[in-house]
Amino acid sequence: MNEQTIQRIRQFTKDRDWDKFHSPANLAKSISIEANELLECFQWSDTDYNLQHVKEELADVLVYCRDLLDKLGLVEDEIVNMKMDQNEAKYPVEKARGNAAKYDQL
Amino acid sequence: MNEQTIQRIRQFTKDRDWDKFHSPANLAKSISIEANELLECFQWSDTDYNLQHVKEELADVLVYCRDLLDKLGLVEDEIVNMKMDQNEAKYPVEKARGNAAKYDQL
Amino acid sequence: MNEQTIQRIRQFTKDRDWDKFHSPANLAKSISIEANELLECFQWSDTDYNLQHVKEELADVLVYCRDLLDKLGLVEDEIVNMKMDQNEAKYPVEKARGNAAKYDQL
Amino acid sequence: MNEQTIQRIRQFTKDRDWDKFHSPANLAKSISIEANELLECFQWSDTDYNLQHVKEELADVLVYCRDLLDKLGLVEDEIVNMKMDQNEAKYPVEKARGNAAKYDQL
């Protein structure tokens, strides 16, 4: 997300005085709620989905993720790279290739 | 997310030949699943949470969101700005200020 | 759920002094969290799932639903029948037959 | 849930020829989706919720749980008691009393 988009999200919250609702717990709930509106696009079919709805709901997830990053003072690239370090260790290429099993069942 | 991080996520999937599992529906499920691992950090308390776990689970959500953006050929800033246009229209500042009500109950 | 099972769930909570954690909001989070552990059984395949895991996770959802019914003093058959009244009205047989569209798009 | 309510849910599905949409995976998605509509009742406040909405969304979760039990030929009391056996073993009273920690952190 570029800096301009991030600023737009921050300004949106600030203009509405919504920061007071944005506790980490409420934002975590919100991410789950929006993730399930996204999931609803695929409720009865994996292939016959409305792309515009998918875009809107995925965007909602991303906006709340950004809000939570901000609230906790996190840097997106830092936490993602920290987690990718873990993922690469948990799923070694030779064991995980072509295999969707969870790391503890590889 | 910067280009290097995005490339790392793509390479991770490619090295493991996991793209075949990454249907949009499966990624939507995955976003919800990880969002709920994030939510689990706040299951019994809104304030007493493990920040390291929060970082890890939020990162997982962000990685799967990135996978879905890629799978559908979407540009994050485009869909987020498209949705912010909608949000700004649905939640006019004068009505929404300090009010957590849903747009249809403002 | 029969009365004996319901009593067992209540006793389980009582013996552990967990009622204090069972706010309606925390139970709603818990239902979502367990629902997503259930969903995880189907994360990468709709057909190749571990039935034992499905049973365990579905049971967890049902236990937390029972906790929430108790916490709010609700009668399961009453709220389900109230909702089925709504569902039957929203999805008339002649319009909904064989059609997975949402009621507002029938 | 009493037998009459269960039969009503089955008839509802049958009359609409919806059984074909009720794969275990789709029902798992549906349980998560409805669980998150329930969670939405508590999105911004743990205490200021609309009880009627809570009833409706909890009922939706219960109906889809019933659909999944039926689809997989499961007996609710059996799987719940099987899981309660596990829960009682994982959370011994003396360790778990008054403690919301996960079993692996007791």
Side-chain angles (χ1 to χ4, degrees), chain C residues 5 8 16 77 85 91 98, chain D residues 5 8 16 77 85 91 98:
Chain C
T5 309
R8 183 179 184 180
R16 284 154 190 76
D77 287 289
D85 287 343
Y91 294 96
Chain D
T5 309
R8 184 179 183 180
R16 284 155 190 77
D77 287 288
D85 288 343
Y91 295 96

Side-chain angles (χ1 to χ4, degrees), chain D residues 58-77:
Chain D
L58 177 55
D60 280 335
V61 174
L62 289 163
V63 168
Y64 279 127
C65 285
R66 166 48 49 191
D67 286 333
L68 184 52
L69 289 166
D70 274 1
K71 173 56 69 173
L72 296 173
L74 303 175
V75 177
E76 183 182 32
D77 287 288

Side-chain angles (χ1 to χ4, degrees), chain C residues 21-87:
Chain C
F21 301 122
H22 285 194
S23 68
N26 285 356
L27 292 171
K29 283 183 264 177
S30 301
I31 293 169
S32 175
I33 291 165
E34 297 298 340
N36 275 274
E37 297 189 3
L38 173 60
L39 186 62
E40 197 179 352
C41 298
F42 304 95
Q43 186 171 11
W44 304 117
S45 169
D46 282 14
T47 51
D48 179 21
Y49 52 87
N50 181 317
L51 182 59
Q52 177 58 22
H53 288 173
V54 170
K55 286 182 190 181
E56 291 171 7
E57 303 306 343
L58 178 54
D60 280 335
V61 174
L62 289 163
V63 169
Y64 279 126
C65 285
R66 166 47 51 189
D67 286 332
L68 185 52
L69 289 166
D70 274 1
K71 174 57 70 175
L72 296 173
L74 303 175
V75 177
E76 183 182 31
D77 287 289
E78 276 182 19
I79 67 166
V80 169
N81 278 292
M82 174 272 293
K83 194 53 169 57
M84 291 304 292
D85 287 343
Q86 296 181 6
N87 290 349

Side-chain angles (χ1 to χ4, degrees), chain D residues 4-30:
Chain D
Q4 201 178 350
T5 309
I6 293 175
Q7 285 305 334
R8 184 179 183 180
I9 294 173
R10 289 177 181 157
Q11 195 65 40
F12 178 83
T13 300
K14 194 177 171 197
D15 286 347
R16 284 155 190 77
D17 192 21
W18 280 357
D19 186 65
K20 62 185 173 191
F21 301 122
H22 286 191
S23 67
N26 286 355
L27 292 172
K29 283 182 264 176
S30 300

